[in-house]
């Protein structure tokens, strides 16, 4: 079971406790809760990707990701569109395997599957600097 606790600190400040060692302050200066949702999408997607590529015996030289989102204008202002971009460096010849791994991420990443219930998610992939089609 996962557990997260929060303690209101006054105004817009909340201390969020993920376990005994991790405490995050959420306030008007720090990350917004919606930023944390996008960070969760990246964290989950990247973690699942690394698990899959390890099982496929693909050596990933580097990976960075970004997520950009549009929100609806009316409350509750859900995400309507998300662009999730992978920037990956691997040895030449592994591009098709990396694309297959990304498709598997879409199937197995919990956060991706939760967020796609309310938003269209476009997945972009750049392998060794070249844009790849994710069909």
């Amino acid at each position: 079971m996962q557990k997260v606790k929060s303690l209101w600190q006054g105004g817009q400040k909340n201390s969020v406790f993920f376990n005994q060692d991790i405490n995050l302050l959420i306030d008007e200066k720090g990350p917004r809760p919606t930023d944390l949702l996008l960070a969760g999408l990246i964290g989950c997607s990247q973690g699942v990707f690394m698990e899959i590529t390890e099982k496929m015996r693909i050596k990933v030289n580097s990976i960075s990701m970004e997520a950009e989102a549009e929100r609806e204008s009316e409350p509750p202002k859900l995400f309507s569109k998300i662009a999730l971009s992978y920037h990956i460096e691997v040895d030449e010849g592994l591009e098709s395997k990396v694309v297959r791994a990304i498709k598997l991420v879409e199937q197995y990443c919990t956060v991706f599957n939760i967020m796609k219930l309310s938003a269209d998610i476009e997945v972009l992939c750049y392998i060794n600097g070249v844009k790849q089609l994710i069909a």
Side-chain angles (χ1 to χ4, degrees), residues 5-18 23-28 30-31 33 36:
K5 292 170 55 176
S6 174
L7 178 62
W8 178 60
Q9 301 292 322
Q12 294 292 320
K13 294 182 182 179
N14 287 291
S15 287
V16 180
F17 302 91
F18 295 93
N23 177 11
L24 176 65
L25 179 65
I26 299 176
D27 65 10
E28 60 278 348
L36 296 173

Side-chain angles (χ1 to χ4, degrees), residues 61-72:
N61 299 321
S62 72
I63 179 170
S64 65
M65 295 183 69
E66 60 186 46
E68 291 184 273
E70 294 178 18
R71 294 177 64 191
E72 295 173 352

Side-chain angles (χ1 to χ4, degrees), residues 4-133:
V4 177
K5 292 170 55 176
S6 174
L7 178 62
W8 178 60
Q9 301 292 322
Q12 294 292 320
K13 294 182 182 179
N14 287 291
S15 287
V16 180
F17 302 91
F18 295 93
N19 61 38
Q20 294 177 348
D21 300 327
I22 301 172
N23 177 11
L24 176 65
L25 179 65
I26 299 176
D27 65 10
E28 60 278 348
K29 297 176 193 169
R32 298 174 295 199
T34 51
D35 295 331
L36 296 173
L37 282 171
L38 294 176
L41 174 61
I42 288 173
C44 185
S45 297
Q46 187 168 317
V48 171
F49 175 80
M50 295 307 294
E51 287 178 15
I52 291 168
T53 55
E54 185 177 307
K55 288 178 183 175
M56 294 174 77
R57 298 192 171 137
I58 299 170
K59 181 180 177 259
V60 175
N61 299 321
S62 72
I63 179 170
S64 65
M65 295 183 69
E66 60 186 46
E68 291 184 273
E70 294 178 18
R71 294 177 64 191
E72 295 173 352
S73 58
E74 296 296 319
K77 298 185 181 181
L78 298 174
F79 290 127
S80 55
K81 279 182 154 179
I82 300 171
L84 181 64
S85 300
Y86 291 79
H87 299 269
I88 303 166
E89 298 290 327
V90 293
D91 293 340
E92 295 295 322
L94 296 175
E95 293 84 359
S96 64
K97 286 185 176 184
V98 170
V99 168
R100 187 173 33 197
I102 290 171
K103 289 179 185 177
L104 289 170
V105 169
E106 294 178 25
Q107 183 178 348
Y108 291 104
C109 173
T110 301
V111 178
F112 186 97
N113 281 281
I114 290 170
M115 293 182 80
K116 79 177 185 181
L117 294 174
S118 66
D120 292 326
I121 303 177
E122 177 185 24
V123 177
L124 305 166
C125 176
Y126 301 87
I127 302 173
N128 300 330
V130 177
K131 186 174 183 178
Q132 304 290 320
L133 293 177

